[in-house]
Amino acid sequence: MQTQGRNMTVRGRLAPSPTGMAHLGNAWAFLLAWLFVRSQNGELVLRMEDLDLERSSPVYMQMLMSDIRWLGLDWDEGPTPERELASWHQSNRFHLYEDALQTLRDKGLAYPCFCSRKDLRMLASAPHLGDAGIVYPGTCRNLTPAEVAERTQKGLPASWRFRGQGRVFAFDDLVMGPQRQSIEESGGDFNMKRADGIFSYQLAVSVDDGLMGITQVIRGRDILPSTVRQLAILDALGMPAPEYGHIPLLLDTDGERLAKRQASLSLEALRTRNVSPWRVTGLLARAAGLIDRKEAVHPGDLVQNFSPDRLTRTDYTLTQADMLWLEGKNNGTEDTGTEDNRRLS
């Protein structure tokens, strides 16, 4: 497979999944990824990660792009509300993922697995490893060609797993610092293509980042356990790995990770309530440690003084006071006034 040549320009990406309305947690990730790139005079691309064909919707895609623009953020490549670019949608790139999977098969780094999720849950040695998923005990790793043929002839559905080699991958996370991990420590041989033919997030994002020349990936810390898997795929395909930065999570007022089902915290709901986007930016910037107090700010005014060293390393839990401040109902607490188009000096 051929990859796009890498130059010295930082290339980051926004990669939302159009399966629901964007919420404050998405805005948090969008803002920080944007600031990383813009503070380095880099390029930012927008990619729609619509692998989930049943839940993805063109309506949500339009809403996502509208929300990103509403926040005062922009991008240099990819689809826009005015122009649809199918090549920037994962649902139109399945042929590239199949080519990559075939390359891994040819190298002996991919093998069929006939285990169902139910099978794995029933194994005492297969606990759940947080966001990395179910730990795989290697049940089908050493099947002989005859055993594979027998199961195939019986019509048993097979997924395709990456064959780990015991290698430890080390990288310097732009936010969380030095990391060292092996595939075995992050859940074992992982799935790259489900038995129903859907490609996994791990394979798709690795191939996309490699082919699109992405040099910097900023995302939530919940994805950190998956990074070693993507490093392994990129290495096996001969693609350069980007730098990774895993940011803390923005939690709801109950301390739970934000989800698209929480409609009241969606950007669409905030817009409906006439919340200023600059207040959203100000709240997120304060939560991230980029400014000292909550105040309405434009994202562009955060670029000059942005540094990863200033970012908090701990999750931030939204408070009722935060939500009241967004709507200007905080009786002046930590407010700099009513000018929501205020810009930093």
Side-chain angles (χ1 to χ4, degrees):
M1 300 183 67
Q2 294 182 347
T3 64
Q4 177 176 331
R6 173 175 293 188
N7 54 35
M8 296 302 293
T9 301
V10 171
R11 278 176 64 84
R13 42 91 155 170
L14 303 178
S17 297
T19 56
M21 294 184 293
H23 50 65
L24 281 173
N26 299 127
W28 165 272
F30 294 157
L31 174 64
L32 294 182
W34 186 88
L35 286 172
F36 264 90
V37 170
R38 294 301 183 224
S39 66
Q40 299 174 82
N41 296 313
E43 300 169 350
L44 193 65
V45 303
L46 176 65
R47 181 174 76 219
M48 290 293 172
E49 298 199 337
D50 56 346
L51 287 174
D52 189 338
L53 300 178
E54 292 185 359
R55 296 173 58 213
S56 295
S57 165
V59 174
Y60 289 138
M61 293 180 194
Q62 288 292 325
M63 291 178 67
L64 277 165
M65 290 185 283
S66 178
D67 286 338
I68 293 171
R69 283 187 172 178
W70 177 72
L71 289 168
L73 309 178
D74 61 355
W75 60 95
D76 303 297
E77 297 179 27
T80 68
E82 301 80 22
R83 183 185 180 197
E84 177 68 18
L85 292 175
S87 60
W88 292 85
H89 293 214
Q90 288 185 328
S91 58
N92 293 306
R93 298 171 63 83
F94 283 12
H95 63 291
L96 299 174
Y97 310 147
E98 189 60 55
D99 288 346
L101 183 58
Q102 185 59 54
T103 298
L104 297 175
R105 290 191 192 105
D106 294 342
K107 292 186 174 184
L109 294 176
Y111 64 90
C113 173
F114 299 91
C115 300
S116 67
R117 291 182 66 86
K118 181 179 179 180
D119 293 334
L120 295 178
R121 289 194 185 98
M122 290 176 64
L123 294 171
S125 59
H128 195 273
L129 191 66
D131 291 294
I134 297 173
V135 174
Y136 182 64
T139 306
C140 297
R141 179 183 174 92
N142 296 314
L143 292 178
T144 66
E147 290 172 324
V148 170
E150 178 186 2
R151 286 163 172 75
T152 302
Q153 289 172 2
K154 290 181 178 179
L156 296 179
S159 59
W160 284 88
R161 291 186 178 273
F162 186 92
R163 187 186 299 275
Q165 304 294 300
R167 175 181 170 186
V168 174
F169 288 84
F171 65 98
D172 289 325
D173 191 279
L174 296 171
V175 179
M176 297 298 181
Q179 306 289 322
R180 289 176 58 86
Q181 197 170 32
S182 67
I183 289 175
E184 290 71 22
E185 292 171 325
S186 63
D189 295 350
F190 56 91
N191 210 342
M192 294 185 292
K193 186 180 183 181
R194 296 185 339 204
D196 62 3
I198 299 298
F199 291 95
S200 75
Y201 165 83
Q202 309 295 348
L203 180 67
V205 299
S206 302
V207 172
D208 287 342
D209 287 343
L211 293 179
M212 292 178 178
I214 301 301
T215 67
Q216 184 182 89
V217 173
I218 306 300
R219 57 194 183 186
R221 64 155 182 81
D222 53 320
I223 308 296
L224 184 55
S226 295
T227 304
V228 64
R229 300 176 176 185
Q230 292 156 40
L231 289 172
I233 290 175
L234 289 165
D235 180 69
L237 295 175
M239 294 177 170
E243 291 186 299
Y244 294 95
H246 291 86
I247 58 176
L249 302 180
L250 191 70
L251 307 178
D252 66 17
T253 52
D254 294 323
E256 299 293 329
R257 185 164 57 183
L258 291 172
K260 292 177 180 177
R261 64 179 178 273
Q262 295 163 304
S264 64
L265 295 179
S266 72
L267 300 185
E268 177 67 18
L270 296 178
R271 294 169 70 172
T272 300
R273 299 201 296 271
N274 295 317
V275 171
S276 164
W278 314 147
R279 283 197 166 233
V280 174
T281 301
L283 174 62
L284 298 179
R286 174 66 184 90
L290 299 179
I291 56 178
D292 295 332
R293 57 186 297 170
K294 286 180 291 204
E295 58 183 342
V297 296
H298 188 280
D301 292 322
L302 299 170
V303 172
Q304 183 175 357
N305 295 320
F306 176 79
S307 169
D309 294 337
R310 299 177 62 189
L311 290 176
T312 180
R313 268 57 176 176
T314 57
D315 295 344
Y316 182 86
T317 300
L318 293 167
T319 66
Q320 291 296 337
D322 289 334
M323 302 311 297
L324 290 172
W325 183 85
L326 278 179
E327 299 187 49
K329 300 176 180 178
N330 63 318
N331 297 321
T333 304
E334 275 204 77
D335 198 355
T336 59
T338 59
E339 294 184 64
D340 284 347
N341 62 346
R342 181 185 316 279
R343 298 180 69 92
L344 296 174
S345 57

